[in-house]
Amino acid sequence: MTITISIDCMGGDHGPSVTIPGALAFLKQQPQAQLILVGLEDQVRAELKKHHADKHPNLRIKHATEVVAMDDPIEVALRRKKDSSMRVAIELVKEGQADVCVSAGNTGALMAISRYVLKTLADVDRPAICSIMPNQKGSPTYMLDLGANVDCEPHHLHQFAIMGAVLFQAMEQRRPSIGLLNVGTEEIKGNEVVKATAALLRADHERGVLNFHGNVEGNDIFKGTVDVIVCDGFVGNVTLKAVEGLSRFVKATLMETTMSKLGALLARKSLKKLNPESYNGAGLLGLKGLVFKSHGGANAFAFDWAIRRAYNAAQYNVQEQLSAMISELMPQASDPQAPGATTQQG
Amino acid sequence: MTITISIDCMGGDHGPSVTIPGALAFLKQQPQAQLILVGLEDQVRAELKKHHADKHPNLRIKHATEVVAMDDPIEVALRRKKDSSMRVAIELVKEGQADVCVSAGNTGALMAISRYVLKTLADVDRPAICSIMPNQKGSPTYMLDLGANVDCEPHHLHQFAIMGAVLFQAMEQRRPSIGLLNVGTEEIKGNEVVKATAALLRADHERGVLNFHGNVEGNDIFKGTVDVIVCDGFVGNVTLKAVEGLSRFVKATLMETTMSKLGALLARKSLKKLNPESYNGAGLLGLKGLVFKSHGGANAFAFDWAIRRAYNAAQYNVQEQLSAMISELMPQASDPQAPGATTQQG
């Protein structure tokens, strides 16, 4: 099966000067993939020419007349830019022309347009953003929500756990352990929302539906204590950005003196596994279609990684597994005690 | 004025084997300070002897028969260990025998015992923990709350901002800018609690009481965008631990190969300013007495830093300034529109 990926070439801080080289780097190691490059045709074509790739057989350009700016309010992106590269790239997924879409654009706009165009999966109240971090065990820590939902109720966090577990299982081909992000590991710790969520997850664990490890703390992200970490979008977003901020601070510090530059050079191979660029590519989960979000400030190397992740998700049928497993795992109408038990299945 | 510091020698993961060398290192650079070493006398004396310091003129030992374990529930620490080194050290502050107390013990127990023994300042609803992080500008970023309050209302966050501002001004001798930790810098961003808090802080800014910068994001902690960052204890605790986890991951990675070890050695001088150990020492604010908390896993070098911070706080009369400025800055009965306007002043 050929996998086709629609790429919002205008998104991100750098637009085509990053997305096109990223796409070309991706094609070098996945020469059987097909890419649809969405954006202002002239700019996309000019960038392709620069790389002598304007006649690449695995590429086609889809013209879109508008661009969602990184600081566009959601309303503007959604209502006034109906022919934006972001929206057209997502519509290609809806129409079945692409299996997955990748954008480095404005997160709020990407989520809003994705929800509007693709719609939310039945049984899912709120889509979530699932990112990946490196950990000391050398395996990935999946973490969600990373910013789509700043006010969450326990049943939202419960659904995030289920969606994160399905994504992990599909992508990593093993059953994940789930941790609930908290201020301590003991059951009595946390705010009311987290305590109520833990009760829902423990119930799932007892009936064998999820492998719930229990509460985890901030440092467990990098320890690799669990495979999937669940939190609300406020905590997730702040944590992710704090961690990125520290990484940038370390990098800048290493570039300060000749001595530290030399040190960084020697340690380069070891430090590589910490490189956040190779963990770029967050999944928007809970929609009727696959969308991956690249960091807005990504370079071509990082953007390539986001496309790779999107490709794997399409290859492993993440969307089908999400649809199937979510309706299996979410509390059902047949379970009279479950919240939302009267909801119609779709 | 001689400053006297009571030290909970039994607290932390390592007890006297860290706290005593830390205290002795501190005295080397502050030979005019007085320390009261609180703990099991035999153990404290044995450790002092090891360092040929059992007759040090600036030290005295205060025997306490019990020890609060790092995993003791708050109830046990508070109700069943009434002669713990932690409690006795705090009581010395209450009795005026010490100007400030330092402990590396269990945070929950330290806050609970401090509140019980010292009581909360009038006008303060909830004490908060204020920690310090390094930033790219080379100045400290103060951040609170770091875990004392997991469920916060806007007026709690408002009070944290005032207390953080007072601590910063006293310790750093300049008026701080205040940022509210959020998922974006725009006014429309955030959950309901944060949006309502921003309105309170903007009002303070307009009447010239606080220098409110606006919303900040996780990466602003290390950028040094503002001097004081306000958040609830859940977000603060998770963020702090995530950042510590990443630091440990980076360190472990650098120790992996001979090449990376050599790299780390060359970069040592630059990386030093990132060293979380020299940022050890968080203030418990809003109590009728000064208490500083060291990281539980601190080594002697880090514990020394926590004592230095406590010493500076006492030297700069942080407690007096907190008492005076909080009743000045907190919304008053004379301001009929302020929340809590009917509260009695004490």
Side-chain angles (χ1 to χ4, degrees):
Chain A
M1 177 187 122
T2 302
I3 285 162
T4 305
I5 306 171
S6 62
I7 293 181
D8 167 13
C9 291
M10 311 307 291
D13 298 341
H14 313 293
S17 69
V18 153
T19 56
I20 305 283
L24 294 172
F26 166 76
L27 277 180
K28 268 202 186 126
Q29 47 98 28
Q30 284 293 4
Q32 69 283 32
Q34 291 287 331
L35 301 185
I36 307 175
L37 304 178
V38 186
L40 296 166
E41 185 161 359
D42 289 353
Q43 288 190 30
V44 173
R45 197 170 297 282
E47 189 66 34
L48 280 172
K49 272 195 181 147
K50 230 197 257 177
H51 298 273
H52 314 290
D54 51 321
K55 297 207 172 73
H56 197 296
N58 301 54
L59 290 177
R60 69 180 176 95
I61 299 174
K62 169 90 183 168
H63 181 54
T65 58
E66 289 169 306
V67 175
V68 172
M70 289 308 273
D71 56 356
D72 268 346
I74 289 176
E75 297 69 37
V76 171
L78 189 61
R79 316 240 171 259
R80 283 201 248 142
K81 293 187 172 176
K82 298 197 175 169
D83 197 41
S84 71
S85 58
M86 186 188 277
R87 178 141 170 187
V88 171
I90 297 167
E91 279 167 347
L92 289 169
V93 173
K94 182 178 166 70
E95 293 159 5
Q97 294 192 51
D99 300 293
V100 58
C101 159
V102 180
S103 174
N106 176 335
T107 309
L110 185 65
M111 182 52 105
I113 297 176
S114 297
R115 283 181 81 153
Y116 181 80
V117 170
L118 297 172
K119 312 296 178 206
T120 302
L121 275 176
D123 305 311
V124 173
D125 287 307
R126 295 190 187 174
I129 302 174
C130 184
S131 197
I132 300 176
M133 310 241 197
N135 68 46
Q136 276 183 274
K137 288 190 179 161
S139 61
T141 301
Y142 283 48
M143 189 165 155
L144 77 169
D145 172 40
L146 270 304
N149 306 281
V150 291
D151 275 305
C152 287
E153 297 296 323
H155 71 279
H156 298 133
L157 294 174
H158 182 207
Q159 294 186 356
F160 299 167
I162 294 169
M163 294 195 289
V166 172
L167 182 69
F168 188 96
Q169 176 128 21
M171 298 283 274
E172 310 293 332
Q173 313 278 308
R174 63 183 171 86
R175 189 167 188 243
S177 58
I178 317 272
L180 182 61
L181 196 57
N182 202 340
V183 296
T185 54
E186 308 88 337
E187 279 192 18
I188 54 149
K189 287 289 177 85
N191 57 29
E192 294 311 316
V193 170
V194 162
K195 281 189 228 174
T197 306
L200 294 172
L201 293 174
R202 271 196 299 272
D204 275 0
H205 184 83
E206 276 156 26
R207 58 193 183 99
V209 165
L210 285 182
N211 176 17
F212 180 50
H213 168 90
N215 291 327
V216 294
E217 301 181 78
N219 51 327
D220 289 306
I221 300 168
F222 301 102
K223 266 192 195 165
T225 309
V226 293
D227 299 311
V228 177
I229 292 184
V230 176
C231 59
D232 71 46
F234 192 97
V235 173
N237 184 283
V238 165
T239 305
L240 180 72
K241 285 180 185 159
V243 158
E244 285 172 2
L246 178 59
S247 304
R248 239 173 272 137
F249 186 15
V250 173
K251 259 192 188 168
T253 304
L254 285 173
M255 290 303 112
E256 261 174 11
T257 66
T258 312
M259 200 71 122
S260 63
K261 272 186 203 165
L262 187 60
L265 196 68
L266 289 177
R268 196 185 47 203
K269 212 173 153 189
S270 295
L271 288 174
K272 211 174 167 182
K273 75 168 174 191
L274 288 168
N275 196 341
E277 289 163 358
S278 59
Y279 289 86
N280 190 32
L284 272 56
L285 305 181
L287 300 161
K288 290 183 183 163
L290 274 183
V291 177
F292 271 73
K293 156 89 183 111
S294 159
H295 201 290
N299 58 20
F301 175 79
F303 196 73
D304 172 10
W305 268 104
I307 307 176
R308 288 194 212 190
R309 213 143 260 142
Y311 179 86
N312 287 341
Q315 191 184 28
Y316 293 140
N317 289 314
V318 163
Q319 187 58 31
E320 287 69 20
Q321 294 194 50
L322 272 170
S323 309
M325 291 182 71
I326 281 173
S327 52
E328 194 187 315
L329 295 181
M330 291 282 181
Q332 293 293 309
S334 60
D335 174 0
Q337 295 197 308
T342 56
T343 308
Q344 198 65 35
Q345 297 303 314
Chain B
M1 177 186 124
T2 302
I3 286 162
T4 304
I5 306 171
S6 60
I7 294 181
D8 167 14
C9 291
M10 311 307 292
D13 297 342
H14 313 293
S17 68
V18 153
T19 57
I20 305 282
L24 295 172
F26 167 76
L27 277 181
K28 268 202 187 124
Q29 47 99 29
Q30 283 294 3
Q32 69 282 34
Q34 292 287 333
L35 301 185
I36 306 175
L37 304 179
V38 186
L40 297 167
E41 187 162 359
D42 290 353
Q43 287 191 30
V44 173
R45 198 170 296 283
E47 188 67 33
L48 281 173
K49 272 197 179 145
K50 228 196 256 175
H51 298 274
H52 313 290
D54 50 324
K55 298 207 172 73
H56 196 298
N58 300 56
L59 291 177
R60 69 179 176 96
I61 300 174
K62 169 91 182 168
H63 182 54
T65 57
E66 288 168 306
V67 175
V68 171
M70 290 307 273
D71 55 357
D72 268 346
I74 289 176
E75 296 70 36
V76 171
L78 189 61
R79 315 239 172 262
R80 284 202 245 141
K81 292 186 172 174
K82 297 197 175 170
D83 196 40
S84 72
S85 57
M86 186 187 276
R87 178 142 168 187
V88 171
I90 297 167
E91 278 166 349
L92 289 170
V93 174
K94 183 179 165 67
E95 293 158 6
Q97 293 193 50
D99 300 295
V100 58
C101 158
V102 180
S103 173
N106 177 334
T107 310
L110 185 66
M111 183 51 107
I113 296 176
S114 298
R115 283 180 81 153
Y116 181 80
V117 170
L118 297 171
K119 312 297 177 205
T120 302
L121 276 176
D123 306 312
V124 172
D125 288 308
R126 294 191 188 174
I129 302 174
C130 184
S131 196
I132 300 176
M133 310 240 199
N135 68 45
Q136 276 182 274
K137 289 188 178 161
S139 61
T141 302
Y142 283 48
M143 191 167 156
L144 77 168
D145 173 39
L146 270 304
N149 307 280
V150 292
D151 275 305
C152 287
E153 297 297 322
H155 71 278
H156 297 133
L157 294 174
H158 182 208
Q159 294 187 354
F160 299 167
I162 294 170
M163 295 195 288
V166 172
L167 181 70
F168 187 96
Q169 177 128 19
M171 298 282 276
E172 310 293 333
Q173 314 277 307
R174 64 183 171 85
R175 191 170 187 241
S177 58
I178 317 271
L180 183 62
L181 196 58
N182 202 338
V183 298
T185 54
E186 307 88 337
E187 278 191 21
I188 53 150
K189 287 287 176 84
N191 56 31
E192 294 311 315
V193 171
V194 162
K195 280 190 229 174
T197 306
L200 294 173
L201 294 174
R202 271 195 299 273
D204 275 357
H205 183 83
E206 277 156 25
R207 58 192 183 101
V209 165
L210 285 181
N211 176 17
F212 180 51
H213 168 92
N215 292 327
V216 294
E217 301 182 77
N219 49 328
D220 289 305
I221 301 168
F222 301 102
K223 265 191 196 165
T225 310
V226 293
D227 300 310
V228 177
I229 293 184
V230 176
C231 58
D232 73 44
F234 193 97
V235 173
N237 183 282
V238 165
T239 305
L240 180 72
K241 285 180 184 159
V243 159
E244 285 173 0
L246 178 59
S247 304
R248 240 173 272 138
F249 185 14
V250 173
K251 259 192 188 168
T253 304
L254 285 172
M255 290 302 112
E256 262 175 9
T257 66
T258 312
M259 201 70 124
S260 63
K261 272 186 205 165
L262 187 60
L265 195 68
L266 289 176
R268 196 186 47 201
K269 211 173 151 189
S270 295
L271 288 174
K272 211 174 165 181
K273 74 168 175 193
L274 289 168
N275 196 341
E277 288 163 358
S278 59
Y279 290 86
N280 191 31
L284 273 55
L285 304 181
L287 300 162
K288 291 183 184 163
L290 276 183
V291 177
F292 271 75
K293 156 90 182 110
S294 159
H295 200 291
N299 58 20
F301 174 78
F303 196 72
D304 172 12
W305 267 103
I307 307 176
R308 288 194 211 191
R309 212 143 261 141
Y311 178 86
N312 287 342
Q315 191 184 28
Y316 292 141
N317 290 315
V318 164
Q319 187 58 30
E320 288 69 21
Q321 295 193 51
L322 273 170
S323 309
M325 291 180 71
I326 281 172
S327 51
E328 194 187 315
L329 295 182
M330 291 281 181
Q332 294 293 310
S334 60
D335 174 0
Q337 294 198 307
T342 56
T343 309
Q344 198 65 35
Q345 298 303 312

